[in-house]
């Protein structure tokens, strides 16, 4: 009886490993690694500003990150810049909370975290979002691709929830 149970566990584990190879670790492509580095730098920059203002750090939220990535990619693909239906997107990606916000930015070439943050801090509306104490989670996306007639541009989405 014990052997049969252990055999069932082994078969299930083997089935999952064979049937879902995408769940196994895949090496990051150069592009994905660069994007992940830009994303981490932007979150660190936002948290540094919040720290100066004695606000709690934002934690990275997987659902917010997925929503931000989807939106930035959609803007790149369809060559538009705007928030779209933000509430529907938050719902579609299962983001929960009491308050939500979004900031966007884009620039020809690769936009650094510091340049993005400077742009947002110079705008009263964006600054108030970054420094909102009710917001506790963040998800960002910083993909680079053809946009608005430029061969290479960064289209940034930062989604927040609290």
């Amino acid at each position: 009886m014990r052997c049969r149970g252990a055999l069932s566990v082994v078969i299930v584990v083997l089935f999952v490993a064979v049937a879902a190879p995408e769940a196994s670790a895949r090496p990051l492509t150069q592009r994905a690694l660069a994007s992940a580095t830009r994303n981490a730098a932007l979150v660190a920059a936002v948290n540094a500003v919040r720290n100066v203002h004695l606000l709690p750090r934002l934690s990275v939220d997987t659902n917010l990150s997925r929503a931000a990535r989807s939106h930035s990619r959609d803007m790149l693909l369809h060559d538009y810049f705007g928030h779209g239906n933000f509430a529907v997107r938050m719902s579609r990606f299962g983001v929960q909370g009491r308050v939500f916000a979004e900031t966007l930015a884009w620039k020809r070439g690769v936009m650094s975290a510091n340049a993005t943050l400077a742009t947002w801090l110079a705008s009263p509306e964006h600054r108030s979002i970054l420094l909102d104490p009710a917001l506790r989670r963040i998800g960002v996306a910083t993909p680079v691709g053809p946009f608005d007639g430029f061969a290479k541009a960064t289209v940034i989405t930062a989604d927040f929830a609290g």
Side-chain angles (χ1 to χ4, degrees):
M1 184 79 160
R2 287 186 120 197
C3 185
R4 187 177 297 168
L7 181 60
S8 297
V9 170
V10 170
I11 290 172
V12 168
V13 169
L14 285 173
F15 176 76
V16 169
V18 171
E22 68 278 356
S24 63
R26 290 180 285 175
L28 288 176
T29 64
Q30 190 75 353
R31 176 184 265 176
L33 182 58
S35 184
T37 301
R38 285 191 308 274
N39 294 350
L42 183 55
V43 170
V46 168
N47 277 327
V49 168
R50 288 177 63 90
N51 185 53
V52 167
H53 292 275
L54 305 176
L55 294 168
R57 294 175 54 83
L58 299 171
S59 61
V60 175
D61 180 283
T62 304
N63 290 341
L64 284 169
S65 297
R66 288 175 47 239
R69 186 170 46 251
S70 172
H71 189 56
S72 281
R73 286 179 177 169
D74 189 61
M75 287 189 291
L76 276 171
L77 182 64
H78 297 103
D79 204 31
Y80 73 96
F81 186 74
H83 295 284
N85 197 332
F86 179 65
V88 168
R89 189 168 359 105
M90 293 298 99
S91 177
R92 191 174 89 210
F93 284 94
V95 178
Q96 297 185 7
R98 295 177 286 101
V99 268
F100 305 94
E102 179 173 73
T103 58
L104 305 175
W106 82 272
K107 181 181 179 182
R108 178 182 180 185
V110 177
M111 190 171 190
S112 72
N114 289 338
T116 304
L117 198 58
T119 300
W120 287 338
L121 289 172
S123 158
E125 181 182 354
H126 293 94
R127 182 183 182 86
S128 70
I129 291 170
L130 295 176
L131 300 178
D132 186 339
L135 298 171
R136 299 301 177 114
R137 295 172 285 135
I138 189 172
V140 302
T142 60
V144 175
F147 186 73
D148 198 39
F150 297 104
K152 189 177 196 180
T154 311
V155 178
I156 299 170
T157 301
D159 288 334
F160 303 84

